[in-house]
Amino acid sequence: MKKFPVESFSLERTVESGQMFMYEKLDSDHYRIFSHGEYFEVKQEENVLKFRGESKEFIQRYFNLTTDYNTYYEKALDELSTDPLLKKAVEEYKGLRITRQEVRECIIGFICSSASNISKIKKNLKLISKHFGEKEGSIYKFPELGGIDCQETLKKCKTGYRAEYIYETEKRLTHDFLTRLKSMSYKKAFKELQKLPGVGPKVADCVCLFALDHKKAFPVDTWVKRAVEKHYFNSRTKSLKEIKEFAEREFGEYAGLAQQFLFCRERSE
DNA sequence: GTCCAGGGTCGAG
DNA sequence: CTCGACCATGGA
């Protein structure tokens, strides 16, 4: 395996943080990750990341390990640590990064995520790859654009009521639409994504954060909602709008990262 | 059996 | 705009 040095990065914390679903654990700190219809292997040994199957540049981009992002990350952790709760979360999950996933795969993954759980989402995506994807040895790759073309087969992937959403969304995901999406501002992309069936504010924010590099995106799921209400609003119920406004105020351009730390911490309680 | 999980849609008020 | 019923599935 080839290798390169990494700083302030934990492969395990990042992969298993609930932001990505297409991976297999091969060993401790050793994963096979599916992205862009392909797959690669990564293994962390302290401050060294070993890899094979994709280029160093690809992997640095996927895990946001570029020098520019390293600077942003260190600064973000400093800033966020002025908040007592985030300070604890950062200490507990240091090295947790925001990934940069392929847009379509991210959309479909998070459509599967509605009212589900991580192990089931992983299972859904694995089944989708098995039924629609290309086989390479014993490994099934994620289907290419337009490849998910049968609603009945989607139900065999245990996606339930989400089968129709995935099927209809896939039809609208053209190469042109995906390209335009990448050039939009956060607000525009957030709105545009919600026109897709099965995509509401939470899924749209996940795609903005985990695929489109919009650092201000603040996905609010049951865990994050619970965490924010408990720690910042004395356990009083708040609307989605109020929670997002709070995040913008409190965390600003680091909101996305803050959200991921909050999510992981709350879920481990 | 009941409740909940990285929610969204639809209709009613 | 906010609220609740409903959606399919699996694990606790």
Side-chain angles (χ1 to χ4, degrees):
Chain A
M1 292 174 94
K2 295 181 186 175
K3 59 187 173 183
F4 63 89
V6 287
E7 292 171 29
S8 302
F9 175 63
S10 165
L11 177 64
E12 182 176 10
R13 285 175 181 168
T14 302
V15 172
E16 312 237 14
S17 68
Q19 60 177 299
M20 45 185 280
F21 310 111
M22 295 208 287
Y23 65 89
E24 293 165 6
K25 184 170 185 170
L26 301 173
D27 202 347
S28 75
D29 262 320
H30 186 184
Y31 297 88
R32 175 181 296 131
I33 289 158
F34 295 80
S35 180
H36 289 75
E38 292 294 334
Y39 59 92
F40 60 92
E41 258 183 63
V42 270
K43 181 176 172 60
Q44 182 167 24
E45 287 173 5
E46 296 180 358
N47 288 333
V48 173
L49 196 64
K50 298 186 169 180
F51 66 97
R52 82 172 129 227
E54 288 285 2
S55 69
K56 172 184 168 184
E57 289 70 26
F58 183 96
I59 288 161
Q60 285 181 319
R61 180 182 162 81
Y62 184 87
F63 288 112
N64 268 320
L65 292 168
T66 58
T67 50
D68 279 0
Y69 194 88
N70 284 343
T71 308
Y72 167 85
Y73 188 71
E74 292 294 342
K75 197 175 169 199
L77 296 196
D78 269 5
E79 282 289 320
L80 292 175
S81 293
T82 59
D83 178 300
L85 178 63
L86 260 299
K87 185 179 164 65
K88 287 179 68 177
V90 166
E91 283 166 3
E92 207 173 331
Y93 292 98
K94 190 164 170 47
L96 167 61
R97 300 276 184 141
I98 301 296
T99 58
R100 208 184 300 186
Q101 303 169 35
E102 196 281 317
V103 183
R104 167 172 160 271
E105 292 169 3
C106 191
I107 292 171
I108 294 169
F110 279 98
I111 289 177
C112 290
S113 78
S114 76
S116 188
N117 56 70
I118 293 169
S119 65
K120 182 160 176 276
I121 302 162
K122 286 177 65 179
K123 188 174 162 187
N124 292 150
L125 294 168
K126 200 162 189 170
L127 285 169
I128 288 174
S129 300
K130 186 170 230 166
H131 284 290
F132 298 100
E134 188 185 326
K135 190 176 184 182
E136 191 173 302
S138 60
I139 296 169
Y140 290 93
K141 302 199 250 186
F142 193 79
E144 59 184 28
L145 185 62
I148 305 172
D149 55 2
C150 175
Q151 215 178 135
E152 287 310 304
T153 309
L154 267 172
K155 294 219 168 177
K156 290 183 186 159
C157 303
K158 305 294 179 187
T159 50
Y161 64 88
R162 305 165 196 84
E164 186 179 355
Y165 298 153
I166 298 166
Y167 178 74
E168 292 299 327
T169 288
E170 170 81 332
K171 283 202 288 194
R172 299 199 205 180
L173 295 182
T174 62
H175 188 72
D176 180 59
F177 174 77
L178 292 168
T179 303
R180 280 191 291 114
L181 204 55
K182 290 176 199 170
S183 68
M184 291 176 193
S185 67
Y186 167 49
K187 283 187 71 174
K188 185 81 194 299
F190 182 68
K191 273 182 71 174
E192 205 61 30
L193 280 163
Q194 289 178 73
K195 292 179 182 172
L196 298 169
V199 179
K202 193 274 177 180
V203 172
D205 258 341
C206 284
V207 176
C208 284
L209 183 60
F210 302 131
L212 295 172
D213 201 34
H214 293 304
K215 300 178 176 63
K216 287 170 60 181
F218 192 83
V220 180
D221 71 330
T222 51
W223 297 97
V224 172
K225 179 172 160 60
R226 195 178 308 165
V228 170
E229 287 169 347
K230 182 165 68 177
H231 296 285
Y232 300 99
F233 292 99
N234 204 9
S235 294
R236 296 189 66 85
T237 303
K238 291 286 160 186
S239 71
L240 170 64
K241 195 173 180 180
E242 287 173 308
I243 291 177
K244 288 196 62 160
E245 282 167 1
F246 161 79
E248 164 103 50
R249 238 178 17 248
E250 181 74 7
F251 308 123
E253 60 180 314
Y254 308 118
L257 202 50
Q259 178 276 159
Q260 199 57 17
F261 278 102
L262 287 175
F263 171 77
C264 287
R265 191 175 189 290
E266 187 63 23
R267 204 165 60 108
S268 72
E269 294 277 298

